[in-house]
Amino acid sequence: MFSWLAKIAAAFLGLRHYARMSRDEGDGDALLWSRDLVRHAAGEYSFAVVQANESLEDHSQVETGRDATFVGVYDGHGGPDASRFIADHLFLNLMRSVRESGTISEDVVRNAFSATEDAFLAHVRRTREIKPLIAAVGSCCLVGIIWKGTLYIANLGDSRAVIGCLGRSNNIIAEQLTKEHNASMEYVRRELMTLHPDDSHIVVLKHGVWRIKGLIQVSRSIGDAYLKRPEFTIDPSIPRFHLPESLKRPVLTAEPSICKRVLRPQDRFLIFASDGLWEHLTNQEAVEIVQNCPRPGIARRLVRTALHVAARKREMRYGDLKKIGKGIRRFFHDDITVAVIFIDHEHLLGSDSAAPQLSVRGFVDAAGPSEFSMLDGV
């Protein structure tokens, strides 16, 4: 096994040594970062990220306010530019929109997504002369907001939010709150063919994988400018992003799917995660782990369980997987981000919670004050 891994490493990265960051000494995996348990307005949360790519493409944040909680998971592709941009701008755009309207609503959330998309495309326009491939960088975007007992979920792409609810026999039941915008789903292919009836190649089966225009799996994203506007067409000398004909209208959209749910007494916790987790765990497996294990470090436990499964699929042990550095790790699993938000109903509608107004970014060992302060008085 190790000789095979050594050959892969030599082929892709020569004799490079991996500089390991001190992230999770107890686990021994230098690419795994976590926050065990932090207060939020309606309970507690646990947060974890594991890196697989050479540059981390998952960016994420949890923002805690006096009366509200915000969770964002941004799974980038083509590089980290779009996911990092979303982490820097989406929450701020949401806060501005909430302050202007005086409340949180589905339209307010939609406006924040639209403003972030417009700002990123403007960034692409400004920088593509020096970085042409930024036009092919994009990101999925999953957001959850708990505000005064109501949950809002907005999603672009194939990250997923799942809620764990108590059933009649006090068993935990997984309920998926998001739809995935991925061409592997038949309903997504039907939607695309309905929107593009004159394009017989809007979805193409390529090497056993359904892709939009043969290029990308997700049908909704922030970024991916070259698939949205003709001005961002990439030089045809780069075949990876070559469109067989000029773009007549956008083939991807940044319109999120949004749902609203008044939280019920049987709702126990939420799991927000990039698709790297769901490649290895089912919804029900994930909620049972959360229900049956101690709260501290539960997001890290979910990530580690997914890594154990990923290792077994390649007939190796997790202990061996932990020895593989970033870049090469991508051959075994994706970047994975998990946030578990516990809902303690005695705190749900109160505004006297001891939760700090705090901003925590995934894989960054620093936290600071949250811009939720912009809502003071709203």
Side-chain angles (χ1 to χ4, degrees), residues 94 97-105 108 147-148 152 375 378:
L94 178 66
S97 187
V98 171
R99 191 155 185 82
E100 289 170 4
S101 64
T103 188
I104 290 178
S105 66
V108 164
W147 194 59
K148 297 183 179 179
Y152 297 85
L375 297 190
V378 173

Side-chain angles (χ1 to χ4, degrees), residues 35 43 55 71 73 80 90 116 126 147 150 194 233 245 252 255 280 320-321:
R35 285 286 178 112
S55 295
V71 183
V73 174
L90 177 61
T116 306
R126 288 191 304 269
W147 194 59
T150 299
T194 299
T233 299
E245 65 279 326
L252 301 191
E255 177 71 21
H280 304 297
D320 298 330
L321 182 64

Side-chain angles (χ1 to χ4, degrees), residues 119-141:
F120 184 69
L121 294 186
H123 173 67
V124 172
R125 188 175 294 110
R126 288 191 304 269
T127 59
R128 66 189 300 248
E129 287 298 322
I130 57 173
K131 193 175 183 181
L133 291 185
I134 196 170
V137 175
S139 182
C140 301
C141 186

Side-chain angles (χ1 to χ4, degrees), residues 164-166 169-174 268-269 271 283-299 301-302 305 340 342:
C165 313
L166 279 184
S169 303
N170 276 339
N171 57 318
I172 198 71
I173 298 170
R268 287 294 185 261
F269 54 83
I271 304 172
N283 296 348
Q284 190 62 32
E285 287 170 341
V287 298
E288 287 178 2
I289 291 168
V290 176
Q291 178 71 3
N292 297 325
C293 295
R295 281 190 180 191
I298 193 63
R301 184 182 292 272
L302 284 172
T305 303
V340 180
F342 292 100

